[in-house]
Amino acid sequence: MAQSMKQKKQEKKQSLVDASYDLFLSKGFNKTSIDEIVKKANVAKGTFYLYFKDKSDVMEDIMLRLSCRVLCDAYSSMKKSSTGDFVEDIIAIVDYIIEYFKKNKLVLKLVKKDFSWPLICEKIFDSEYGEVNKILEECFQNPYLAEHSNDDIFKLLFVIIELCGSICYTSIINEQPDTIDNMKPFLYRIIRKILEV
Amino acid sequence: MAQSMKQKKQEKKQSLVDASYDLFLSKGFNKTSIDEIVKKANVAKGTFYLYFKDKSDVMEDIMLRLSCRVLCDAYSSMKKSSTGDFVEDIIAIVDYIIEYFKKNKLVLKLVKKDFSWPLICEKIFDSEYGEVNKILEECFQNPYLAEHSNDDIFKLLFVIIELCGSICYTSIINEQPDTIDNMKPFLYRIIRKILEV
Amino acid sequence: MAQSMKQKKQEKKQSLVDASYDLFLSKGFNKTSIDEIVKKANVAKGTFYLYFKDKSDVMEDIMLRLSCRVLCDAYSSMKKSSTGDFVEDIIAIVDYIIEYFKKNKLVLKLVKKDFSWPLICEKIFDSEYGEVNKILEECFQNPYLAEHSNDDIFKLLFVIIELCGSICYTSIINEQPDTIDNMKPFLYRIIRKILEV
Amino acid sequence: MAQSMKQKKQEKKQSLVDASYDLFLSKGFNKTSIDEIVKKANVAKGTFYLYFKDKSDVMEDIMLRLSCRVLCDAYSSMKKSSTGDFVEDIIAIVDYIIEYFKKNKLVLKLVKKDFSWPLICEKIFDSEYGEVNKILEECFQNPYLAEHSNDDIFKLLFVIIELCGSICYTSIINEQPDTIDNMKPFLYRIIRKILEV
DNA sequence: TATGAATGAGTATTCATTCAT
DNA sequence: GATGAATGAATACTCATTCAT
């Protein structure tokens, strides 16, 4: 009984997150009003403020879940087909992310335009988001990077993800300087060079 | 007489641009109202709409001038101390840009947060902004890149500038993953690898 | 023509003040919304904020005008029937104020409940509200008070007005400890004692 | 058992009163929300409505206790050092109250701004608040006031307390027309005159 | 008694845009 | 061209109150 209460409570919060996500995607963060969110979530206005401080608060929530999920999915997808070559593993991860954004242009637009990757990264690594940390741990222990300090490995991965995000945004959204499919071989060549010992 | 009229007209427009720039820097684009702009510019509200469609219109104006100026300044600064080594020339340009953003954090924040480099780049290369095109031309003809197609060279430069912008933003604004001064050697090593034949 | 513009502008402001006054009187300050004010004033919502910072801002405006007017009316009414006896002049002023509040209970309620005399007094004496200052000047030079310092005279008048205001409020609004008509002789006896040399 | 139940119930009510008092003092009556009260009292929201009709209801409760206590404390403090001179006894009471408000400015602010003395007085004299009535009785029987009717004595005391409250507020809170310490001799001279036979 | 999630009417405030002068 | 008063839709946020558990 008590559980059903808490469950119901979580349902409300979830429906607010879902509604926000849909609206942020379709209208953009700035152009979405809290009015619209609560209407779509079928919840009273006050309920919004019961769970979130303001619009940015939901956004943060969404970004963390999303980034975490994409990264983890990319990692486990790579694991399945891994050849054991570290460089190719990294490229597999990047490729997964690129393909995800290709299929979800609106997500990409949202992630890049109204908030930025780095902010999210910061949160991911700091917080209790354990899964992502586990990925990182595995990288630290990879024999291929044995000579590098953990700090350097982190920087390396950070730069690659940044680069990947930047290029995704410009080429998928603006097709600048070319389509993402034309950029891919180019980008992977660069990543290989970066990771080359 | 006619000239003084035109001059006066341009004065109004310029003071609107100047006021906007100051306010965008100090308060951010979103939080600046047209009311504040015209008040700071000492101009009537209606006058704003004589010269600009809306706030974004001024922003575009500002961004183009700004990006163009920084890029050109970086280029001419490099020219003065060039050793003829193409790779080091590129790094000199990047370094100039980084140092500029280090000194002008607010500009960096504005450029990245409220608009993004790619959008500006797009304009720069498309438009009549001749100076930047000239820089590009020189790169195309550089013997070091003789084996590459113009298209590839453009992509290369684009990626480097994107990377530079991304890393500047995260490390200067968020100090993530490290301070920009600690990131620099790391970044330059990567750029060298990217440009390596 | 230009004058008609300014006139029209002042009309809007005046209609806002008038509407506010009416509503504050009938509903009280706290229960009056800006929505109601602008509706009653037949003016757009934004126009309110063109002339006033917020609700309290109008209130201050109203209080100053009102207090000033009542005090000045009381003074000139006294002047007309003055016998030259200073003490009786003061009592005549007090009596005028009491009669005014008897006829305008709502004003009394407004003045006392949501703002207090002292605040208003402070403004009156500090500001350019010249007429009130003139009254004060005359008191300072009255031969009856020749032996007192200006400072003491000011205190004396301040205390009398405070007393008057307090007793008005409790006896007119709450009929505590008695009706104002029953309090009057009592109050005047006290004032005479206070002013007695 | 039943008693401990009642005790527990009273505990909840008391903690609501205490929390309200603290918040009213620090934030003012109007700016304190029931939300804050229950949070500070560590009680569920619904519980508030079990004991009080609304915010004003708690306020009344607080005001009555407070006013009663201050008045009674003033009276018993006077009794201890009484010389038997009625006028000086009254002044001792007034002085106690003034000193209390000097030390508790916030209480003074609360008493005057959000509710007014007279309202409280009314309650005190009407209600079963016996102690205060006892004080009154003693005054009625004081030989010094033998010639006055009970009604007149009540008015006299009422006016003095009103005057005292008014002057406290203006001089302690606004320092208008002077600091309370500078007003004291002035005020006591007036009270002596008022009470003079 | 006690709880605290849910409500939604109510309110203040902002601001881009227009238009008569 | 230039002005700036006027607009009113849009929006964020609050909070007393209820009620099922």
Side-chain angles (χ1 to χ4, degrees), chain D residues 17-184:
Chain D
V17 170
D18 292 344
S20 301
Y21 181 70
D22 287 354
L23 288 165
F24 290 169
L25 277 196
S26 57
K27 313 188 58 178
F29 177 77
N30 284 320
K31 297 205 167 173
T32 298
S33 70
I34 289 173
D35 231 84
E36 288 170 302
I37 295 172
V38 296
K39 200 170 279 175
K40 182 153 199 166
N42 251 331
V43 163
K45 218 164 188 179
T47 308
F48 181 93
Y49 291 93
L50 240 45
Y51 296 109
F52 301 102
K53 211 171 88 299
D54 55 21
K55 221 171 43 169
S56 305
D57 206 17
V58 208
M59 185 63 167
E60 243 170 80
D61 208 281
I62 289 170
M63 281 298 140
L64 258 90
R65 286 166 202 265
L66 182 75
S67 314
C68 198
R69 215 194 58 225
V70 175
L71 225 69
C72 291
D73 285 358
Y75 190 76
S76 58
S77 153
M78 173 275 282
K79 271 292 178 197
K80 274 178 211 154
S81 57
S82 172
T83 60
D85 179 340
F86 180 73
V87 176
E88 293 315 307
D89 282 355
I90 292 293
I91 284 175
I93 287 174
V94 168
D95 197 69
Y96 183 96
I97 295 172
I98 288 176
E99 287 302 314
Y100 175 80
F101 281 143
K102 252 174 71 184
K103 282 183 213 108
N104 301 277
K105 284 190 187 188
L106 291 176
V107 177
L108 178 57
K109 225 167 187 165
L110 187 64
V111 168
K112 257 302 213 189
K113 246 316 163 37
D114 289 324
F115 273 90
S116 56
W117 255 107
L119 225 80
I120 301 143
C121 284
E122 185 185 346
K123 290 265 165 186
I124 287 171
F125 297 121
D126 288 357
S127 75
E128 76 292 346
Y129 283 70
E131 278 183 284
V132 183
N133 271 309
K134 234 187 293 169
I135 297 175
L136 213 54
E137 283 306 321
E138 284 198 40
C139 285
F140 289 163
Q141 283 151 19
N142 191 296
Y144 182 83
L145 298 168
E147 290 169 39
H148 296 74
S149 68
N150 282 0
D151 211 58
D152 267 15
I153 295 170
F154 182 60
K155 283 181 193 165
L156 215 59
L157 294 176
F158 188 92
V159 168
I160 288 168
I161 285 177
E162 272 297 299
L163 184 59
C164 164
S166 263
I167 299 303
C168 270
Y169 191 76
T170 59
S171 56
I172 293 177
I173 307 299
N174 303 323
E175 303 221 333
Q176 271 287 330
D178 207 332
T179 63
I180 185 63
D181 288 319
N182 287 336
M183 288 303 286
K184 262 187 179 187

Side-chain angles (χ1 to χ4, degrees), chain C residues 89-141:
Chain C
D89 282 355
I90 293 292
I91 286 177
I93 287 174
V94 168
D95 196 69
Y96 183 96
I97 294 172
I98 289 176
E99 287 301 314
Y100 174 81
F101 282 141
K102 254 174 70 183
K103 281 183 215 109
N104 300 277
K105 285 191 189 188
L106 291 175
V107 176
L108 178 57
K109 226 167 186 164
L110 187 64
V111 168
K112 256 303 210 190
K113 248 315 168 33
D114 290 321
F115 273 90
S116 57
W117 255 109
L119 227 80
I120 300 144
C121 285
E122 187 186 345
K123 291 261 167 190
I124 287 171
F125 297 122
D126 286 358
S127 74
E128 75 292 347
Y129 282 71
E131 279 183 284
V132 183
N133 271 312
K134 235 187 291 170
I135 298 177
L136 211 55
E137 284 304 321
E138 285 198 39
C139 286
F140 289 163
Q141 283 151 18

Side-chain angles (χ1 to χ4, degrees), chain A residues 146-178:
Chain A
E147 290 168 39
H148 297 74
S149 69
N150 283 359
D151 211 59
D152 267 15
I153 295 171
F154 181 60
K155 283 182 194 167
L156 215 59
L157 294 175
F158 189 92
V159 168
I160 289 169
I161 285 176
E162 273 296 299
L163 183 60
C164 163
S166 263
I167 299 304
C168 272
Y169 191 76
T170 60
S171 57
I172 293 178
I173 306 299
N174 302 324
E175 303 219 334
Q176 270 288 330
D178 207 331

Side-chain angles (χ1 to χ4, degrees), chain B residues 55-166:
Chain B
K55 220 171 41 168
S56 306
D57 205 17
V58 207
M59 186 61 166
E60 244 170 82
D61 207 280
I62 289 171
M63 281 299 139
L64 259 88
R65 289 166 200 264
L66 182 74
S67 313
C68 198
R69 216 194 57 224
V70 175
L71 225 70
C72 291
D73 285 357
Y75 190 76
S76 59
S77 153
M78 173 273 283
K79 271 293 176 197
K80 274 179 211 152
S81 57
S82 172
T83 61
D85 180 340
F86 180 73
V87 176
E88 294 315 307
D89 282 353
I90 292 292
I91 285 177
I93 287 174
V94 168
D95 197 69
Y96 183 96
I97 295 172
I98 288 177
E99 287 302 313
Y100 175 81
F101 282 143
K102 251 175 72 184
K103 282 186 214 107
N104 301 277
K105 284 192 188 188
L106 291 175
V107 176
L108 177 58
K109 226 167 187 165
L110 188 64
V111 169
K112 256 303 212 190
K113 250 306 161 46
D114 290 324
F115 273 90
S116 56
W117 256 106
L119 225 79
I120 301 145
C121 286
E122 186 185 346
K123 290 264 165 186
I124 287 171
F125 297 120
D126 287 358
S127 74
E128 76 290 350
Y129 283 71
E131 277 183 285
V132 183
N133 271 311
K134 235 187 291 171
I135 297 175
L136 212 56
E137 284 305 320
E138 285 198 39
C139 285
F140 290 162
Q141 284 150 19
N142 192 297
Y144 182 83
L145 299 167
E147 291 170 40
H148 296 75
S149 68
N150 282 1
D151 211 56
D152 267 15
I153 295 170
F154 182 60
K155 282 181 194 168
L156 214 58
L157 294 175
F158 188 91
V159 168
I160 289 168
I161 284 176
E162 272 297 298
L163 184 60
C164 165
S166 262

Side-chain angles (χ1 to χ4, degrees), chain B residues 183-196:
Chain B
M183 288 303 287
K184 261 187 178 186
F186 196 86
L187 182 62
Y188 297 165
R189 203 159 57 232
I190 287 176
I191 293 175
R192 279 191 194 98
K193 275 184 180 175
I194 292 177
L195 289 173
E196 182 169 279

